Amino acid sequence: SMKVSYRAKKLPLNKLLTIIEEIYTVRFIRDTTELKAELTHNPLSDSRHLHEQTEAALGSSFPQFVYHYLNEKYKNQKLIVQHGIDLVTSVDYHRNSDISVNTFSTFLTEQYDPDDVTFFLFARSIIQKEIDQKTRQTSSENAKIHPFYQANDTTTTTDRLSHKTLTQKQCIKIVKSIFGEDQTHLQTQFLTLLDVHFKMDFSSKTVTVGDFLLVAVNDYHGNRSANSGVEAPRSFLNARA
């Protein structure tokens, strides 16, 4: 058999972001579908047991999942490998200049584990809803908007979810949704971190979704590492259960 040689292609940032957002969407749909299936099959299992079962079900590592995604998309081994090489090369190339590529890179290299990915996607879906709602309020033609932002290659980088901006008011609303209304301590802690991240009181300016998610996933990961027995935010566990 002939030896196949591959040449790594660096994808333009816009193209790379399209792929990343698609991977996130597919992963989020998979996570939520598997959770619903878990619950319908076994409605009486206690939550601790359920959490462990879910961990096992969703435990496939993120790089494995990305390979699975490429496999489903291209079917052909040569194409799968080529697109895989291009993806890894491009992530490595763009991660220092784009914050959302950098976050994706931490998942791909498994610096952050599947639990961090699930939390990140949960937070992302809440932001998505908030932005869609805002879009709906401002323009009626977007009423039929898809619950997930489906990017395509004609989308400009500023149209991307990760490049959209959030006001302080939106941030506070999103933080309440992520941590649950009653978790005021966690909410305050997180909003303080946003202030620190922006080296000042961010109330006067907006925050990009990419920045917000970076702070969120770092905070979540840090809390889990600091005291390994730490509970995830309650609303997050409820959303999963």
Side-chain angles (χ1 to χ4, degrees):
S1 64
M2 255 175 61
K3 191 178 182 308
V4 184
S5 63
Y6 297 96
R7 244 183 77 243
K9 272 199 315 292
K10 276 202 287 285
L11 304 168
L13 179 60
N14 207 22
K15 177 101 177 125
L16 177 62
L17 290 171
T18 300
I19 296 166
I20 289 175
E21 301 215 329
E22 194 174 284
I23 290 171
Y24 284 156
T25 299
V26 174
R27 174 79 176 206
F28 183 73
I29 291 167
R30 189 205 76 164
D31 280 6
T32 36
T33 317
E34 291 199 1
L35 269 171
K36 288 197 182 95
E38 274 288 328
L39 285 164
T40 39
H41 290 144
N42 202 349
L44 296 172
S45 79
D46 72 291
S47 61
R48 170 66 53 203
H49 176 59
L50 177 74
H51 190 66
E52 282 162 15
Q53 275 187 318
T54 309
E55 282 312 294
L58 305 182
S60 90
S61 78
F62 193 70
Q64 266 174 343
F65 173 77
V66 170
Y67 177 77
H68 172 76
Y69 158 86
L70 292 170
N71 202 30
E72 290 291 298
K73 190 163 172 152
Y74 298 107
K75 305 280 192 268
N76 162 318
Q77 192 57 37
K78 186 169 185 275
L79 282 177
I80 294 164
V81 175
Q82 183 63 63
H83 283 279
I85 291 170
D86 294 349
L87 179 65
V88 171
T89 307
S90 306
V91 166
D92 198 50
Y93 179 74
H94 290 291
R95 72 193 162 98
N96 294 325
S97 57
D98 188 275
I99 205 145
S100 51
V101 177
N102 193 36
T103 305
F104 181 78
S105 165
T106 61
F107 298 147
L108 200 57
T109 55
E110 295 186 281
Q111 283 165 270
Y112 284 5
D113 65 16
D115 220 17
D116 295 317
V117 176
T118 305
F119 174 76
F120 171 86
L121 294 177
F122 166 70
R124 181 176 171 269
S125 72
I126 285 176
I127 292 172
Q128 183 65 69
K129 280 191 198 116
E130 170 59 29
I131 286 178
D132 286 350
Q133 209 176 352
K134 198 100 187 114
T135 314
R136 269 198 208 95
Q137 286 161 1
T138 47
S139 63
S140 53
E141 69 270 17
N142 276 333
K144 293 197 205 55
I145 201 159
H146 190 266
F148 279 98
Y149 178 66
Q150 281 301 341
N152 58 41
D153 292 341
T154 58
T155 319
T156 62
T157 9
T158 43
D159 281 341
R160 303 256 157 219
L161 179 59
S162 58
H163 290 254
K164 286 187 191 283
T165 54
L166 299 166
T167 62
Q168 190 196 31
K169 200 175 148 196
Q170 284 179 300
C171 285
I172 291 167
K173 189 175 162 191
I174 290 162
V175 166
K176 279 184 177 162
S177 299
I178 292 174
F179 296 109
E181 291 282 347
D182 53 339
Q183 297 285 334
T184 45
H185 164 69
L186 288 172
Q187 291 173 27
T188 315
Q189 179 188 317
F190 181 73
L191 290 166
T192 309
L193 274 175
L194 271 184
D195 276 345
V196 171
H197 183 78
F198 293 103
K199 312 268 189 293
M200 55 170 274
D201 174 35
F202 80 96
S203 55
S204 57
K205 54 180 185 173
T206 56
V207 173
T208 70
V209 171
D211 274 325
F212 182 98
L213 283 170
L214 176 77
V215 176
V217 78
N218 285 349
D219 179 39
Y220 178 71
H221 180 81
N223 275 334
R224 285 177 58 219
S225 312
N227 35 356
S228 47
V230 76
E231 279 299 316
R234 193 165 312 142
S235 72
F236 170 49
L237 288 174
N238 291 348
R240 295 183 68 173

